[in-house]
Amino acid sequence: MSTARCVSRLLPLALMAAGVLPVMSVPAFAANTTTSAAVAPATLPRVLVLATGGTISGRASARSAIGYDAGAVTGAELIAGVPGVDRLARLRVEQIANIPSQNMNNAVWFRLAERIRQAFAHNEADAVVITHGTDTMEETAFFLDTVLDTPHPVVLTGAMRPGTAISADGPANMYEAVKVATAPQTAGRGVLVVMDDVIHAARWVSKTHTTALQTFLSRNAGPVGFVDPASVRFVTPAQQSGHLGLPADHKLPRVEIIYAHADMDGRQIDDAIRAGARGLVVAGMGDGNVSDDALSALDRAVRAGIVVVRSTRVGDGFVNRDVEVDDDQHGLVASLDLNPAKARILLQLLLADGTTAAADIQRTFAAGH
Ligand code: SIN
């Protein structure tokens, strides 16, 4: 694209960000799908961008000086504000949802998984980039990594600051996500998260800070690579995780997360049993520990046929079997590296797949190592 055309495309967004131009005067895009094929050479890789909302699609609100609404800008508007991205790839943008990711749910997950499977099966795209809120990005990444079986790159990205903020991080993250997705060395690495110049594997990545740009860490393993304007560098060998089928009925069983704390009784656990949970994940203290009263309630859950996984509310480290808690005796599963949110997803998918024996579930939790 010529510099003049690039500037003329970006100017309205810059003015909108500065509050000079009302948002509505941004040039209109097709309702759900936009393609940059008209300006990008046909030799460039094809990237399907699936937009779901989040802060990367956020816009300032009047509620406070720093207030904003996530999921207010479309994926197409977002792409139009990323200088040079159409020199990396032919982009086709589809709006899968436009929500703050606190509202992410199974329906959107299944829509994403089915659309990605279809796009690769029908050779519609070489890679997929998903724009997503950061709050549940690690959960969506882990879900997709567990159910998708493809060597094609699938990369999630987002932003900690809305596009209207000073030093918005969304455009750079978006550019780098497309750069990683189109790098030949990205193939066969499962689902990745690209944020703030760092490439993370879905299994290990976690949001660790409420507001900082450097919020994503892969605490027990470290990042798998780095990206900058010039390069995409992986520092670990390519590794894909084992895959579980996507439940055909698009339903996941109820699995509750129980947060452990001092002076804990068994009431939350008994409530979850009564509410019909098929599984429980305990965000335990330290190495996945709970009080004696809570452990007795977990015994009641196991006797009722509920699968119980011990994870931890601590951000770092592994929850190992049979340390302070006798998992063998109580019939429990140790989550190892999986944090409570990811342990919940893996347990849901296993239960949906008909796996209910604690020993079999433990084997799958260990299979990611
Ligand atoms: C969200 O997750 O949608 C809000 C926070 C963010 O995207 O950074």
Side-chain angles (χ1 to χ4, degrees):
M1 191 193 324
S2 72
T3 311
R5 270 181 73 194
C6 182
V7 169
S8 72
R9 266 182 72 190
L10 296 175
L11 194 59
L13 278 147
L15 293 174
M16 182 186 87
V20 175
L21 204 61
V23 166
M24 292 309 292
S25 53
V26 170
F29 292 90
N32 287 317
T33 304
T34 304
T35 172
S36 69
V39 291
T43 48
L44 289 178
R46 299 159 303 160
V47 173
L48 175 62
V49 177
L50 301 177
T52 70
T55 295
I56 193 166
S57 292
R59 181 184 290 150
S61 97
R63 86 175 60 88
S64 75
I66 54 169
Y68 67 91
D69 297 317
V73 172
T74 66
E77 287 171 316
L78 183 67
I79 283 289
V82 184
V85 73
D86 53 2
R87 287 195 290 276
L88 294 177
R90 285 175 285 161
L91 300 163
R92 175 190 164 99
V93 185
E94 291 179 13
Q95 198 74 44
I96 295 290
N98 208 357
I99 54 175
S101 80
Q102 307 89 313
N103 291 333
M104 188 49 64
N105 55 51
N106 296 350
V108 179
W109 281 353
F110 281 99
R111 216 178 301 152
L112 279 170
E114 295 288 14
R115 183 66 189 102
I116 295 167
R117 280 207 313 203
Q118 180 196 43
F120 293 144
H122 297 166
N123 191 24
E124 293 176 58
D126 301 305
V128 167
V129 169
I130 301 168
T131 58
H132 199 289
T134 59
D135 285 354
T136 57
M137 187 182 290
E138 68 202 65
E139 288 168 70
T140 301
F142 183 73
F143 173 80
L144 293 175
D145 193 50
T146 310
V147 299
L148 292 175
D149 189 2
T150 175
H152 290 281
V154 176
V155 175
L156 283 87
T157 195
M160 292 300 289
R161 296 175 182 160
T164 46
I166 294 171
S167 298
D169 53 331
N173 286 340
M174 186 69 208
Y175 185 91
E176 291 186 343
V178 174
K179 195 169 175 65
V180 171
T182 53
Q185 62 271 37
T186 303
R189 289 181 172 274
V191 176
L192 302 172
V193 166
V194 171
M195 291 284 294
D196 199 37
D197 303 344
V198 183
I199 312 170
H200 301 272
R203 177 151 192 137
W204 303 102
V205 68
S206 269
K207 184 173 183 177
T208 65
H209 193 285
T210 51
T211 54
L213 298 187
Q214 309 81 353
T215 182
F216 282 96
L217 298 177
S218 291
R219 273 175 157 160
N220 290 313
V224 294
F226 300 92
V227 52
D228 57 41
S231 64
V232 175
R233 287 194 179 84
F234 285 96
V235 293
T236 62
Q239 189 189 10
Q240 272 192 291
S241 5
H243 297 103
L244 295 171
L246 195 63
D249 60 0
H250 285 196
K251 290 207 166 73
L252 292 174
R254 188 181 186 92
V255 173
E256 304 281 1
I257 295 176
I258 308 286
Y259 194 92
H261 53 83
D263 196 33
M264 184 180 189
D265 61 22
R267 202 174 316 170
Q268 288 184 78
I269 295 163
D270 288 329
D271 286 349
I273 299 171
R274 267 193 298 276
R278 300 263 321 277
L280 297 179
V281 174
V282 183
M285 295 169 267
D287 194 7
N289 299 317
V290 294
S291 67
D292 290 347
D293 283 351
L295 192 56
S296 301
L298 293 181
D299 285 338
R300 290 194 283 281
V302 171
R303 280 199 297 275
I306 295 168
V307 180
V308 177
V309 176
R310 288 189 308 111
S311 182
T312 177
R313 64 182 203 178
V314 175
D316 257 324
F318 294 71
V319 173
N320 294 300
R321 285 190 70 77
D322 301 330
V323 183
E324 284 188 76
V325 179
D326 190 336
D327 295 296
D328 292 342
Q329 185 203 326
H330 292 279
L332 307 176
V333 175
S335 74
L336 306 170
D337 58 292
L338 290 184
N339 68 22
K342 291 183 190 178
R344 173 177 173 272
I345 293 166
L346 185 54
L347 182 54
Q348 284 182 300
L349 287 167
L350 281 164
L351 292 171
D353 206 34
T355 309
T356 53
D360 295 335
I361 290 171
Q362 185 69 75
R363 253 191 301 281
T364 310
F365 270 72
H369 294 268

